[in-house]
Amino acid sequence: MKKHRLKWFIPVSAALLMAAFSTEATAEEKTETQLLTIHNESLLTIPEKFPSQFAYDSGINIDYPEDGVKGIYLTGHSAGGARLADLTKLLNDTELNAMVIDVKDDFGDMTFDLKSDNPLIKENTQNYVSDPAQMMKHMEEHQIYPIARVVVFKDTRLAEARPELSFTHEDGSVWKNGRGESFVNPFSQEVWEYNVEIAKQAAKMGFKEIQFDYVRFPEGFETRSDELKYTYGGYQEKGLDDIQQRVEAVTDFVKYAKKELEPYGVDVSVDIFGYSATVPEAPGIGQNFSKISENVDVISSMIYPSHWGSYFGIAKPDLEPYKLVSEYMKVENDVLGKLDTPPQSRPWLQDFTASYLGAGNYREYGPEEIEAQIKALKEAGVNEFLLWDAGNTYTRGVNYDLE
């Protein structure tokens, strides 16, 4: 089970605490503060720098699930529409207990008003959830552990608004991948700040964990990096080759985000390609599984059987969900076992049918296939998981708490 740092909220007025750290405070104020501090010293030693080390209290009280997080993914449309009631019933009726909700989606839109002062965040806001405060109260009422999904470097909105933060062609036009999507530049500190501001506002609302997705360069970036124009943000001066420049930039973003979010009392997680654990690093996209894992509370590998080639000696992985997950977890456990402070492993599992693979290469995914993946995780010592279905229509009749 995941171990958590304790988050204390001392019953001392804000004015009194500020007085304790003010050179203008009266002796009486200082004495009273000292007495309160002594009274509570078994709970907390007040740090030298106030208030950066105090955890922000959002007012939304939801405990980390005792049996570990078992969650589902929701789009902004699902979280803000009629489907929320149906998915809440699914959680209430089963061992599922968490929702990963799009806060910044794959296109770069905020799915609801985050109350940020950043004009670009405001401009890129859609009101898919018309009353986010009520949504968070709903989570609290049902004790659904809320995780804010923030898509980081795949961001067509920001790329189009600020091409200098993206990758451009010689004519100044923004590069797009084969699906018409654009990425912003992981070397850019301004891009980091933009995404962390989004995460901070989500934390203030009451989300208990920030999950960063697309923490990487575009797929195949190494084949086009010399053709595009973009800033290196000082990474060229570090004496690293182009692969290590990308790895360091991605890792540094995660470190930066983790540090910036500490005062908000939230956990930080990162979604990562499962194959990244099977190689020293994924050179084109800049993902180093070990280095990212060392800087997060939770690592969520995307290990959908449909997304693998003939790995682990399995010719058609989508047909063998138990074997695929079982073989993958041997690799991940080995990698995480070499870290001094490994994060909680909480993989993404497949709850969709990959018919696009073609006849003979896929199977219909139902309770049996989902339970097979969960069983493989359990046997590998991992009790937490997340279920992915882009349409948010999750399989019913699944036993999520296999012994």
Side-chain angles (χ1 to χ4, degrees), residues 246-272:
R246 291 192 286 270
V247 167
E248 187 158 326
V250 168
T251 305
D252 284 350
F253 165 74
V254 176
K255 290 179 183 178
Y256 168 80
K258 183 77 160 56
K259 182 67 175 177
E260 287 290 308
L261 289 166
E262 282 180 2
Y264 298 88
V266 292
D267 281 344
V268 172
S269 61
V270 164
D271 295 336
I272 190 168

PDB file of all heavy atoms in Angstrom, residues 246-272:
ATOM      1  N   ARG A 246      17.304  15.887 -24.648  1.00  0.00           N
ATOM      2  CA  ARG A 246      15.865  15.645 -24.550  1.00  0.00           C
ATOM      3  C   ARG A 246      15.519  14.937 -23.241  1.00  0.00           C
ATOM      4  O   ARG A 246      14.539  15.291 -22.574  1.00  0.00           O
ATOM      5  CB  ARG A 246      15.393  14.825 -25.757  1.00  0.00           C
ATOM      6  CG  ARG A 246      15.455  15.598 -27.065  1.00  0.00           C
ATOM      7  CD  ARG A 246      14.718  14.877 -28.182  1.00  0.00           C
ATOM      8  NE  ARG A 246      15.415  13.714 -28.687  1.00  0.00           N
ATOM      9  CZ  ARG A 246      16.287  13.728 -29.685  1.00  0.00           C
ATOM     10  NH1 ARG A 246      16.605  14.880 -30.283  1.00  0.00           N
ATOM     11  NH2 ARG A 246      16.866  12.613 -30.102  1.00  0.00           N
ATOM     12  N   VAL A 247      16.322  13.947 -22.877  1.00  0.00           N
ATOM     13  CA  VAL A 247      16.073  13.222 -21.627  1.00  0.00           C
ATOM     14  C   VAL A 247      16.152  14.166 -20.435  1.00  0.00           C
ATOM     15  O   VAL A 247      15.304  14.140 -19.531  1.00  0.00           O
ATOM     16  CB  VAL A 247      17.082  12.057 -21.465  1.00  0.00           C
ATOM     17  CG1 VAL A 247      17.044  11.510 -20.039  1.00  0.00           C
ATOM     18  CG2 VAL A 247      16.774  10.952 -22.473  1.00  0.00           C
ATOM     19  N   GLU A 248      17.165  15.028 -20.417  1.00  0.00           N
ATOM     20  CA  GLU A 248      17.331  15.938 -19.289  1.00  0.00           C
ATOM     21  C   GLU A 248      16.197  16.959 -19.223  1.00  0.00           C
ATOM     22  O   GLU A 248      15.712  17.285 -18.143  1.00  0.00           O
ATOM     23  CB  GLU A 248      18.681  16.645 -19.361  1.00  0.00           C
ATOM     24  CG  GLU A 248      18.981  17.471 -18.120  1.00  0.00           C
ATOM     25  CD  GLU A 248      20.460  17.731 -17.908  1.00  0.00           C
ATOM     26  OE1 GLU A 248      21.272  16.852 -18.251  1.00  0.00           O
ATOM     27  OE2 GLU A 248      20.782  18.805 -17.385  1.00  0.00           O
ATOM     28  N   ALA A 249      15.757  17.462 -20.366  1.00  0.00           N
ATOM     29  CA  ALA A 249      14.676  18.440 -20.380  1.00  0.00           C
ATOM     30  C   ALA A 249      13.387  17.844 -19.817  1.00  0.00           C
ATOM     31  O   ALA A 249      12.705  18.468 -18.989  1.00  0.00           O
ATOM     32  CB  ALA A 249      14.443  18.953 -21.794  1.00  0.00           C
ATOM     33  N   VAL A 250      13.048  16.641 -20.253  1.00  0.00           N
ATOM     34  CA  VAL A 250      11.827  15.983 -19.775  1.00  0.00           C
ATOM     35  C   VAL A 250      11.933  15.700 -18.276  1.00  0.00           C
ATOM     36  O   VAL A 250      11.000  15.958 -17.500  1.00  0.00           O
ATOM     37  CB  VAL A 250      11.562  14.686 -20.570  1.00  0.00           C
ATOM     38  CG1 VAL A 250      10.486  13.848 -19.893  1.00  0.00           C
ATOM     39  CG2 VAL A 250      11.152  15.024 -22.002  1.00  0.00           C
ATOM     40  N   THR A 251      13.068  15.168 -17.854  1.00  0.00           N
ATOM     41  CA  THR A 251      13.265  14.873 -16.432  1.00  0.00           C
ATOM     42  C   THR A 251      13.245  16.143 -15.594  1.00  0.00           C
ATOM     43  O   THR A 251      12.656  16.176 -14.507  1.00  0.00           O
ATOM     44  CB  THR A 251      14.593  14.125 -16.220  1.00  0.00           C
ATOM     45  OG1 THR A 251      14.631  12.953 -17.046  1.00  0.00           O
ATOM     46  CG2 THR A 251      14.761  13.716 -14.762  1.00  0.00           C
ATOM     47  N   ASP A 252      13.864  17.191 -16.093  1.00  0.00           N
ATOM     48  CA  ASP A 252      13.902  18.458 -15.355  1.00  0.00           C
ATOM     49  C   ASP A 252      12.512  19.054 -15.199  1.00  0.00           C
ATOM     50  O   ASP A 252      12.203  19.664 -14.163  1.00  0.00           O
ATOM     51  CB  ASP A 252      14.810  19.465 -16.063  1.00  0.00           C
ATOM     52  CG  ASP A 252      16.289  19.172 -15.862  1.00  0.00           C
ATOM     53  OD1 ASP A 252      16.615  18.306 -15.035  1.00  0.00           O
ATOM     54  OD2 ASP A 252      17.116  19.816 -16.544  1.00  0.00           O
ATOM     55  N   PHE A 253      11.664  18.893 -16.210  1.00  0.00           N
ATOM     56  CA  PHE A 253      10.290  19.382 -16.058  1.00  0.00           C
ATOM     57  C   PHE A 253       9.598  18.676 -14.896  1.00  0.00           C
ATOM     58  O   PHE A 253       8.917  19.310 -14.078  1.00  0.00           O
ATOM     59  CB  PHE A 253       9.464  19.184 -17.330  1.00  0.00           C
ATOM     60  CG  PHE A 253       7.987  19.334 -17.070  1.00  0.00           C
ATOM     61  CD1 PHE A 253       7.436  20.592 -16.861  1.00  0.00           C
ATOM     62  CD2 PHE A 253       7.164  18.222 -16.963  1.00  0.00           C
ATOM     63  CE1 PHE A 253       6.083  20.733 -16.556  1.00  0.00           C
ATOM     64  CE2 PHE A 253       5.814  18.357 -16.662  1.00  0.00           C
ATOM     65  CZ  PHE A 253       5.271  19.618 -16.466  1.00  0.00           C
ATOM     66  N   VAL A 254       9.751  17.357 -14.826  1.00  0.00           N
ATOM     67  CA  VAL A 254       9.100  16.590 -13.760  1.00  0.00           C
ATOM     68  C   VAL A 254       9.614  17.039 -12.393  1.00  0.00           C
ATOM     69  O   VAL A 254       8.834  17.230 -11.443  1.00  0.00           O
ATOM     70  CB  VAL A 254       9.303  15.086 -13.973  1.00  0.00           C
ATOM     71  CG1 VAL A 254       8.698  14.297 -12.815  1.00  0.00           C
ATOM     72  CG2 VAL A 254       8.689  14.637 -15.297  1.00  0.00           C
ATOM     73  N   LYS A 255      10.932  17.225 -12.278  1.00  0.00           N
ATOM     74  CA  LYS A 255      11.509  17.705 -11.019  1.00  0.00           C
ATOM     75  C   LYS A 255      10.930  19.068 -10.644  1.00  0.00           C
ATOM     76  O   LYS A 255      10.568  19.319  -9.482  1.00  0.00           O
ATOM     77  CB  LYS A 255      13.036  17.829 -11.150  1.00  0.00           C
ATOM     78  CG  LYS A 255      13.794  16.536 -11.252  1.00  0.00           C
ATOM     79  CD  LYS A 255      15.290  16.826 -11.398  1.00  0.00           C
ATOM     80  CE  LYS A 255      16.109  15.570 -11.574  1.00  0.00           C
ATOM     81  NZ  LYS A 255      17.553  15.865 -11.772  1.00  0.00           N
ATOM     82  N   TYR A 256      10.880  19.946 -11.620  1.00  0.00           N
ATOM     83  CA  TYR A 256      10.369  21.302 -11.405  1.00  0.00           C
ATOM     84  C   TYR A 256       8.907  21.275 -10.942  1.00  0.00           C
ATOM     85  O   TYR A 256       8.528  21.929  -9.959  1.00  0.00           O
ATOM     86  CB  TYR A 256      10.498  22.102 -12.702  1.00  0.00           C
ATOM     87  CG  TYR A 256       9.765  23.413 -12.723  1.00  0.00           C
ATOM     88  CD1 TYR A 256      10.295  24.550 -12.112  1.00  0.00           C
ATOM     89  CD2 TYR A 256       8.534  23.529 -13.370  1.00  0.00           C
ATOM     90  CE1 TYR A 256       9.622  25.758 -12.137  1.00  0.00           C
ATOM     91  CE2 TYR A 256       7.854  24.734 -13.401  1.00  0.00           C
ATOM     92  CZ  TYR A 256       8.395  25.843 -12.784  1.00  0.00           C
ATOM     93  OH  TYR A 256       7.709  27.039 -12.812  1.00  0.00           O
ATOM     94  N   ALA A 257       8.092  20.485 -11.629  1.00  0.00           N
ATOM     95  CA  ALA A 257       6.678  20.405 -11.278  1.00  0.00           C
ATOM     96  C   ALA A 257       6.484  19.846  -9.882  1.00  0.00           C
ATOM     97  O   ALA A 257       5.663  20.348  -9.097  1.00  0.00           O
ATOM     98  CB  ALA A 257       5.947  19.541 -12.307  1.00  0.00           C
ATOM     99  N   LYS A 258       7.230  18.808  -9.558  1.00  0.00           N
ATOM    100  CA  LYS A 258       7.119  18.190  -8.220  1.00  0.00           C
ATOM    101  C   LYS A 258       7.446  19.211  -7.135  1.00  0.00           C
ATOM    102  O   LYS A 258       6.739  19.315  -6.122  1.00  0.00           O
ATOM    103  CB  LYS A 258       8.071  16.998  -8.145  1.00  0.00           C
ATOM    104  CG  LYS A 258       8.018  16.214  -6.830  1.00  0.00           C
ATOM    105  CD  LYS A 258       6.802  15.332  -6.789  1.00  0.00           C
ATOM    106  CE  LYS A 258       6.943  14.211  -5.764  1.00  0.00           C
ATOM    107  NZ  LYS A 258       7.235  14.657  -4.402  1.00  0.00           N
ATOM    108  N   LYS A 259       8.521  19.974  -7.336  1.00  0.00           N
ATOM    109  CA  LYS A 259       8.927  20.966  -6.353  1.00  0.00           C
ATOM    110  C   LYS A 259       7.900  22.075  -6.223  1.00  0.00           C
ATOM    111  O   LYS A 259       7.531  22.485  -5.110  1.00  0.00           O
ATOM    112  CB  LYS A 259      10.280  21.553  -6.759  1.00  0.00           C
ATOM    113  CG  LYS A 259      10.848  22.588  -5.784  1.00  0.00           C
ATOM    114  CD  LYS A 259      11.207  21.963  -4.469  1.00  0.00           C
ATOM    115  CE  LYS A 259      11.872  22.962  -3.542  1.00  0.00           C
ATOM    116  NZ  LYS A 259      12.165  22.378  -2.200  1.00  0.00           N
ATOM    117  N   GLU A 260       7.396  22.562  -7.333  1.00  0.00           N
ATOM    118  CA  GLU A 260       6.430  23.655  -7.326  1.00  0.00           C
ATOM    119  C   GLU A 260       5.103  23.262  -6.683  1.00  0.00           C
ATOM    120  O   GLU A 260       4.400  24.105  -6.112  1.00  0.00           O
ATOM    121  CB  GLU A 260       6.182  24.134  -8.756  1.00  0.00           C
ATOM    122  CG  GLU A 260       7.327  24.912  -9.362  1.00  0.00           C
ATOM    123  CD  GLU A 260       7.502  26.279  -8.716  1.00  0.00           C
ATOM    124  OE1 GLU A 260       6.508  27.024  -8.634  1.00  0.00           O
ATOM    125  OE2 GLU A 260       8.632  26.584  -8.274  1.00  0.00           O
ATOM    126  N   LEU A 261       4.754  21.996  -6.746  1.00  0.00           N
ATOM    127  CA  LEU A 261       3.466  21.546  -6.225  1.00  0.00           C
ATOM    128  C   LEU A 261       3.523  21.094  -4.774  1.00  0.00           C
ATOM    129  O   LEU A 261       2.484  20.804  -4.178  1.00  0.00           O
ATOM    130  CB  LEU A 261       2.920  20.409  -7.104  1.00  0.00           C
ATOM    131  CG  LEU A 261       2.439  20.853  -8.490  1.00  0.00           C
ATOM    132  CD1 LEU A 261       2.252  19.651  -9.402  1.00  0.00           C
ATOM    133  CD2 LEU A 261       1.138  21.649  -8.374  1.00  0.00           C
ATOM    134  N   GLU A 262       4.707  21.046  -4.192  1.00  0.00           N
ATOM    135  CA  GLU A 262       4.836  20.592  -2.803  1.00  0.00           C
ATOM    136  C   GLU A 262       3.947  21.359  -1.825  1.00  0.00           C
ATOM    137  O   GLU A 262       3.316  20.760  -0.949  1.00  0.00           O
ATOM    138  CB  GLU A 262       6.298  20.665  -2.353  1.00  0.00           C
ATOM    139  CG  GLU A 262       7.147  19.513  -2.864  1.00  0.00           C
ATOM    140  CD  GLU A 262       8.594  19.609  -2.406  1.00  0.00           C
ATOM    141  OE1 GLU A 262       8.919  20.568  -1.658  1.00  0.00           O
ATOM    142  OE2 GLU A 262       9.393  18.745  -2.802  1.00  0.00           O
ATOM    143  N   PRO A 263       3.847  22.696  -1.926  1.00  0.00           N
ATOM    144  CA  PRO A 263       3.017  23.419  -0.949  1.00  0.00           C
ATOM    145  C   PRO A 263       1.526  23.113  -1.046  1.00  0.00           C
ATOM    146  O   PRO A 263       0.774  23.492  -0.151  1.00  0.00           O
ATOM    147  CB  PRO A 263       3.285  24.896  -1.297  1.00  0.00           C
ATOM    148  CG  PRO A 263       4.570  24.906  -2.042  1.00  0.00           C
ATOM    149  CD  PRO A 263       4.579  23.623  -2.806  1.00  0.00           C
ATOM    150  N   TYR A 264       1.114  22.436  -2.095  1.00  0.00           N
ATOM    151  CA  TYR A 264      -0.310  22.174  -2.293  1.00  0.00           C
ATOM    152  C   TYR A 264      -0.741  20.804  -1.779  1.00  0.00           C
ATOM    153  O   TYR A 264      -1.918  20.452  -1.848  1.00  0.00           O
ATOM    154  CB  TYR A 264      -0.666  22.341  -3.776  1.00  0.00           C
ATOM    155  CG  TYR A 264      -0.423  23.753  -4.252  1.00  0.00           C
ATOM    156  CD1 TYR A 264       0.826  24.138  -4.734  1.00  0.00           C
ATOM    157  CD2 TYR A 264      -1.417  24.721  -4.161  1.00  0.00           C
ATOM    158  CE1 TYR A 264       1.062  25.442  -5.128  1.00  0.00           C
ATOM    159  CE2 TYR A 264      -1.192  26.032  -4.554  1.00  0.00           C
ATOM    160  CZ  TYR A 264       0.059  26.383  -5.040  1.00  0.00           C
ATOM    161  OH  TYR A 264       0.301  27.683  -5.419  1.00  0.00           O
ATOM    162  N   GLY A 265       0.211  20.029  -1.278  1.00  0.00           N
ATOM    163  CA  GLY A 265      -0.133  18.766  -0.640  1.00  0.00           C
ATOM    164  C   GLY A 265      -0.668  17.698  -1.574  1.00  0.00           C
ATOM    165  O   GLY A 265      -1.345  16.773  -1.117  1.00  0.00           O
ATOM    166  N   VAL A 266      -0.381  17.813  -2.873  1.00  0.00           N
ATOM    167  CA  VAL A 266      -0.876  16.820  -3.828  1.00  0.00           C
ATOM    168  C   VAL A 266       0.239  15.851  -4.207  1.00  0.00           C
ATOM    169  O   VAL A 266       1.414  16.190  -4.164  1.00  0.00           O
ATOM    170  CB  VAL A 266      -1.418  17.488  -5.111  1.00  0.00           C
ATOM    171  CG1 VAL A 266      -2.685  18.265  -4.827  1.00  0.00           C
ATOM    172  CG2 VAL A 266      -0.366  18.385  -5.755  1.00  0.00           C
ATOM    173  N   ASP A 267      -0.165  14.640  -4.586  1.00  0.00           N
ATOM    174  CA  ASP A 267       0.783  13.713  -5.175  1.00  0.00           C
ATOM    175  C   ASP A 267       0.968  14.073  -6.645  1.00  0.00           C
ATOM    176  O   ASP A 267       0.088  14.677  -7.270  1.00  0.00           O
ATOM    177  CB  ASP A 267       0.278  12.275  -5.056  1.00  0.00           C
ATOM    178  CG  ASP A 267       0.510  11.699  -3.667  1.00  0.00           C
ATOM    179  OD1 ASP A 267       1.310  12.278  -2.914  1.00  0.00           O
ATOM    180  OD2 ASP A 267      -0.124  10.678  -3.335  1.00  0.00           O
ATOM    181  N   VAL A 268       2.097  13.674  -7.192  1.00  0.00           N
ATOM    182  CA  VAL A 268       2.400  13.928  -8.600  1.00  0.00           C
ATOM    183  C   VAL A 268       2.635  12.584  -9.280  1.00  0.00           C
ATOM    184  O   VAL A 268       3.413  11.750  -8.796  1.00  0.00           O
ATOM    185  CB  VAL A 268       3.643  14.826  -8.758  1.00  0.00           C
ATOM    186  CG1 VAL A 268       4.050  14.919 -10.228  1.00  0.00           C
ATOM    187  CG2 VAL A 268       3.361  16.217  -8.195  1.00  0.00           C
ATOM    188  N   SER A 269       1.949  12.388 -10.398  1.00  0.00           N
ATOM    189  CA  SER A 269       2.129  11.160 -11.169  1.00  0.00           C
ATOM    190  C   SER A 269       2.408  11.504 -12.620  1.00  0.00           C
ATOM    191  O   SER A 269       2.100  12.600 -13.087  1.00  0.00           O
ATOM    192  CB  SER A 269       0.893  10.254 -11.065  1.00  0.00           C
ATOM    193  OG  SER A 269      -0.265  10.905 -11.578  1.00  0.00           O
ATOM    194  N   VAL A 270       3.001  10.562 -13.328  1.00  0.00           N
ATOM    195  CA  VAL A 270       3.314  10.740 -14.744  1.00  0.00           C
ATOM    196  C   VAL A 270       2.902   9.490 -15.499  1.00  0.00           C
ATOM    197  O   VAL A 270       3.176   8.366 -15.075  1.00  0.00           O
ATOM    198  CB  VAL A 270       4.819  11.019 -14.956  1.00  0.00           C
ATOM    199  CG1 VAL A 270       5.217  10.828 -16.419  1.00  0.00           C
ATOM    200  CG2 VAL A 270       5.176  12.434 -14.515  1.00  0.00           C
ATOM    201  N   ASP A 271       2.221   9.708 -16.630  1.00  0.00           N
ATOM    202  CA  ASP A 271       1.938   8.623 -17.563  1.00  0.00           C
ATOM    203  C   ASP A 271       3.151   8.441 -18.457  1.00  0.00           C
ATOM    204  O   ASP A 271       3.762   9.425 -18.891  1.00  0.00           O
ATOM    205  CB  ASP A 271       0.722   8.965 -18.427  1.00  0.00           C
ATOM    206  CG  ASP A 271      -0.564   9.078 -17.626  1.00  0.00           C
ATOM    207  OD1 ASP A 271      -0.643   8.483 -16.543  1.00  0.00           O
ATOM    208  OD2 ASP A 271      -1.492   9.772 -18.087  1.00  0.00           O
ATOM    209  N   ILE A 272       3.457   7.205 -18.751  1.00  0.00           N
ATOM    210  CA  ILE A 272       4.673   6.938 -19.539  1.00  0.00           C
ATOM    211  C   ILE A 272       4.460   5.695 -20.389  1.00  0.00           C
ATOM    212  O   ILE A 272       3.728   4.776 -19.994  1.00  0.00           O
ATOM    213  CB  ILE A 272       5.890   6.769 -18.591  1.00  0.00           C
ATOM    214  CG1 ILE A 272       7.206   6.732 -19.356  1.00  0.00           C
ATOM    215  CG2 ILE A 272       5.724   5.548 -17.707  1.00  0.00           C
ATOM    216  CD1 ILE A 272       8.435   6.862 -18.450  1.00  0.00           C
TER     217      ILE A 272
END
